[in-house]
């Protein structure tokens, strides 16, 4: 038990910060994406040609990956704050993943996709960028 307490983060510990705003925002964008993907997206895809439908599927995957990576990063920070994993583990083994996919933007697809899909792409990109900065990794831009 003493070993666990040694790595347990305290509420005042600056090495671990709980981010309820980003967590709630991520949940909100996840809910929006779920609602969209299981309602309007199906009918919108039926009106697209095969090339655009392929672009749509790729960008839908990109939104999903961004949100999954952000949520996993947040859960690792929460686990460190609660003492379930060490601070070192959180910083070394639970970095924000998939930068090459998540920081890429398919400008041609975005210019052709429905507005609501573009909104999800923008929200997920901005959210991922902010968490990337918090993770201590500089973006390529």
């Amino acid at each position: 038990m003493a070993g666990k307490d040694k790595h347990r983060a305290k509420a005042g510990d600056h090495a671990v910060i709980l981010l309820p705003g980003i967590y709630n925002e991520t949940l909100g964008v996840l809910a929006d994406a779920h609602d969209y993907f299981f309602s309007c997206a199906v009918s919108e895809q039926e009106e697209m040609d095969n090339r655009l439908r392929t672009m749509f599927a790729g960008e839908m995957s990109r939104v999903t990956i961004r949100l999954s990576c952000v949520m996993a990063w947040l859960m690792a920070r929460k686990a460190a704050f609660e003492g379930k994993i060490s601070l070192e583990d959180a910083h070394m083994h639970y970095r924000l993943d998939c930068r090459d996919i998540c920081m890429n933007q398919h400008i041609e697809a975005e210019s052709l996709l429905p507005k609501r899909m573009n909104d999800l792409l923008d929200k997920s990109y901005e959210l991922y960028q902010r968490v990337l900065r918090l993770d201590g990794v500089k973006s390529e831009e």
Side-chain angles (χ1 to χ4, degrees), residues 1-10 83 85-86 88:
M1 187 70 115
K4 185 177 178 183
D5 288 340
K6 177 181 172 186
H7 295 294
R8 186 176 177 95
K10 306 286 187 272
I85 63 173
S86 71
E88 294 81 16

Side-chain angles (χ1 to χ4, degrees), residues 33-48 53 56 60 114 116-117 120:
H34 177 271
D35 291 347
Y36 176 64
F37 294 154
F38 288 100
S39 62
C40 308
V42 174
S43 62
E44 288 177 348
Q45 287 182 73
E46 290 172 357
E47 298 173 11
M48 297 176 185
R53 193 174 300 141
F56 185 95
M60 182 169 35
R116 193 157 170 207
M117 180 63 172
L120 289 170

Side-chain angles (χ1 to χ4, degrees), residues 5 7 18-19 25 34 54 95 121 125 129 132-133:
D5 288 340
H7 295 294
L18 288 181
L19 304 161
E25 181 180 351
H34 177 271
T54 300
R95 304 300 301 263
L121 284 164
Y125 180 77
Q129 268 190 322
L132 187 63
R133 284 191 297 271

Side-chain angles (χ1 to χ4, degrees), residues 107-126:
I107 304 303
E108 179 188 7
E110 290 181 27
S111 69
L112 300 171
L113 294 174
K115 180 186 180 334
R116 193 157 170 207
M117 180 63 172
N118 278 311
D119 289 343
L120 289 170
L121 284 164
D122 291 344
K123 287 178 185 177
S124 66
Y125 180 77
E126 290 167 8

Side-chain angles (χ1 to χ4, degrees), residues 13 23 30-31 34-35 48 50 54-55 57 61 67 78 81 87 91 94 111-112 114 116 119 122 127 133 140:
D13 190 339
Y23 176 81
L30 276 166
H34 177 271
D35 291 347
M48 297 176 185
N50 287 337
T54 300
M55 285 182 190
S61 295
L67 296 173
K78 181 179 181 196
F81 185 83
L87 295 174
H91 293 300
Y94 297 98
S111 69
L112 300 171
R116 193 157 170 207
D119 289 343
D122 291 344
L127 185 62
R133 284 191 297 271
E140 304 291 315

